[in-house]
Amino acid sequence: MPVCFPAPLKPGDTVAITAPSTGVPAALHAQLDGAKQALELRGFTVLEGECLRTSYKNKSADKTLRARELMSFLTRPDIHAVMPPWGGDLAIEILELLDFTLLSQTQPKWFSGYSDLSTLHFPLTMLAGWATLHGPNLMELGSQQVDQTTQGIWSVLEAPRGTQVEQHASQYHQDGPCQGCPDEKTGFRLTQPTCWKRLDGLHGNLEIHGRLAGGCLDTLARLAGTRFGNLPRFCEQHQQEGVILYIENVEMNPCELTRALYSLRLHGWFQAVSGVLVGRHAAPDASTPEHQSQRDALNSALGDLPVPVLYDLDIGHIPPQLSLVNGALAAVYFQENSGRITQAL
């Protein structure tokens, strides 16, 4: 199945907001309004869904309502992008209620965000053939000051087709995961020097080429082996170009991370990829040197792969993060402790 790219966003386009996973509680409605205003200031018309401003039992609404609204927004020709406020926990409840056959016959539009939204990104690309954007959530775009890496989402969403978009490693990252929203005035707390690393411990430059596919490992590991997460088939379809798998861990302790990576390994996810990119871990590390660490987990499951593995990249829950397009042809360039990624849109 070829990968189809949405049209670039332009002023006057309609951006729909719905929460297919966790909704936004009343205490954070002001931040949601700020994010909406940021869209309007870029010239977009904003359409709010009904599954948005409430949150009960970790979801915005009943699974049937969430699925119905998401399908409506994804298939309406007058909507040009769907930008959920954030991820959450239970997007998996609506997967069986979405019509991916219909979506494969529908002109794609931008679907963006990260975390539990990976549960939807992945089948949209694998089953419907849509290019989707794994990057900053809408709730992270409404601060008065937005850092350059986070702002990179617009260089992707608004780029004309045929454009090569280049993004660089951040200079600094936050000292922990984003807890819903950055500060309304100053944005993220970017105080820690960013350092991309090679899992093999070597320091030479690297290049990795292929189509991007990936997301939040906490959710993707649950899709492996199902029709919603058939990465080996995607690799077979794009074997001439190669596939770059990217993953990030938000909640799994080192032993659970090891199990999740081995689950992907046993499902054949690493057999045909041209490289693996791992984001900064947001989950706690080992408490003592005698316990399995996050690095130990990577070494155990990925250390003997015959392809490059880079880790501590700007991907996932410790901001800022790059805007990566599932399905895009990409080139990853690693230079000592840093790097850049180009994507063909």
Side-chain angles (χ1 to χ4, degrees):
M1 177 183 295
V3 178
C4 297
F5 287 79
L9 292 183
K10 61 185 185 301
D13 283 350
T14 297
V15 176
I17 307 175
T18 183
S21 185
T22 301
V24 181
L28 293 176
H29 284 181
Q31 283 92 328
L32 175 59
D33 292 336
K36 281 184 58 181
Q37 185 179 38
L39 294 178
E40 292 166 346
L41 289 173
R42 295 193 76 87
F44 304 126
T45 299
V46 179
L47 173 64
E48 272 200 33
E50 296 181 10
C51 303
L52 180 62
R53 289 184 180 262
T54 57
S55 185
Y56 178 66
K57 292 188 180 292
N58 301 76
K59 60 195 81 174
S60 64
D62 171 81
K63 64 181 180 181
T64 302
L65 297 179
R66 284 181 286 144
R68 183 185 305 150
E69 182 162 275
L70 181 60
M71 277 298 301
S72 172
F73 285 173
L74 291 176
T75 55
R76 278 178 52 174
D78 60 326
I79 291 175
H80 304 87
V82 178
M83 299 183 72
W86 49 27
D89 299 287
L90 297 173
I92 199 168
E93 290 182 338
I94 71 172
L95 274 185
E96 295 177 307
L97 304 178
L98 302 178
D99 188 343
F100 288 98
T101 299
L102 175 59
L103 291 171
S104 72
Q105 301 164 357
T106 302
Q107 181 65 30
K109 58 199 61 180
W110 284 115
F111 181 80
S112 68
Y114 72 105
S115 192
D116 194 30
L117 299 178
S118 294
T119 310
L120 305 171
H121 280 296
F122 214 69
L124 276 171
T125 302
M126 302 292 132
L127 294 179
W130 288 25
T132 66
L133 190 150
H134 180 282
N137 285 325
L138 176 62
M139 293 288 278
E140 300 174 0
L141 302 176
S143 299
Q144 294 178 21
Q145 297 181 38
V146 180
D147 64 275
Q148 183 176 4
T149 304
T150 303
Q151 284 278 18
I153 187 174
W154 301 114
S155 70
V156 174
L157 292 177
E158 298 174 349
R161 295 291 72 81
T163 300
Q164 288 269 356
V165 175
E166 182 172 272
Q167 299 174 82
H168 292 258
S170 67
Q171 289 188 316
Y172 296 93
H173 64 270
Q174 190 163 282
D175 58 358
C178 178
Q179 302 296 335
C181 307
D183 186 271
E184 294 178 70
K185 293 184 178 181
T186 60
F188 297 122
R189 310 180 308 273
L190 306 182
T191 60
Q192 307 302 307
T194 295
C195 181
W196 290 13
K197 304 181 183 74
R198 291 177 54 162
L199 187 61
D200 61 14
L202 301 178
H203 298 284
N205 295 349
L206 280 176
E207 289 187 24
I208 311 172
H209 297 265
R211 289 196 181 271
L212 290 167
C216 179
L217 181 59
D218 304 53
T219 69
L220 293 186
R222 308 293 178 144
L223 302 184
T226 75
R227 68 186 183 95
F228 303 106
N230 195 342
L231 183 69
R233 182 177 63 182
F234 186 77
C235 290
E236 182 179 357
Q237 293 169 341
H238 300 283
Q239 57 183 324
Q240 290 186 329
E241 305 138 323
V243 171
I244 302 171
L245 174 64
Y246 67 90
I247 52 177
E248 58 98 7
N249 168 30
V250 55
E251 293 180 336
M252 292 181 288
N253 64 44
C255 289
E256 180 59 25
L257 174 61
T258 306
R259 289 190 289 264
L261 290 171
Y262 266 95
S263 176
L264 299 190
R265 182 171 178 138
L266 296 174
H267 281 105
W269 277 40
F270 302 119
Q271 290 179 1
V273 296
S274 52
V276 180
L277 312 179
V278 183
R280 291 183 285 265
H281 296 298
D285 211 335
S287 57
T288 70
E290 289 74 28
H291 288 84
Q292 178 90 336
S293 68
Q294 300 280 2
R295 173 66 184 271
D296 292 333
L298 298 182
N299 282 331
S300 175
L302 309 179
D304 62 349
L305 295 184
V307 296
V309 179
L310 303 178
Y311 70 101
D312 280 357
L313 273 65
D314 297 291
I315 304 170
H317 285 73
I318 296 186
Q321 66 171 310
L322 302 166
S323 294
L324 303 180
V325 177
N326 285 308
L329 273 173
V332 181
Y333 302 94
F334 172 83
Q335 303 91 29
E336 189 73 24
N337 299 330
S338 188
R340 57 190 172 91
I341 297 178
T342 63
Q343 302 175 81
L345 304 179

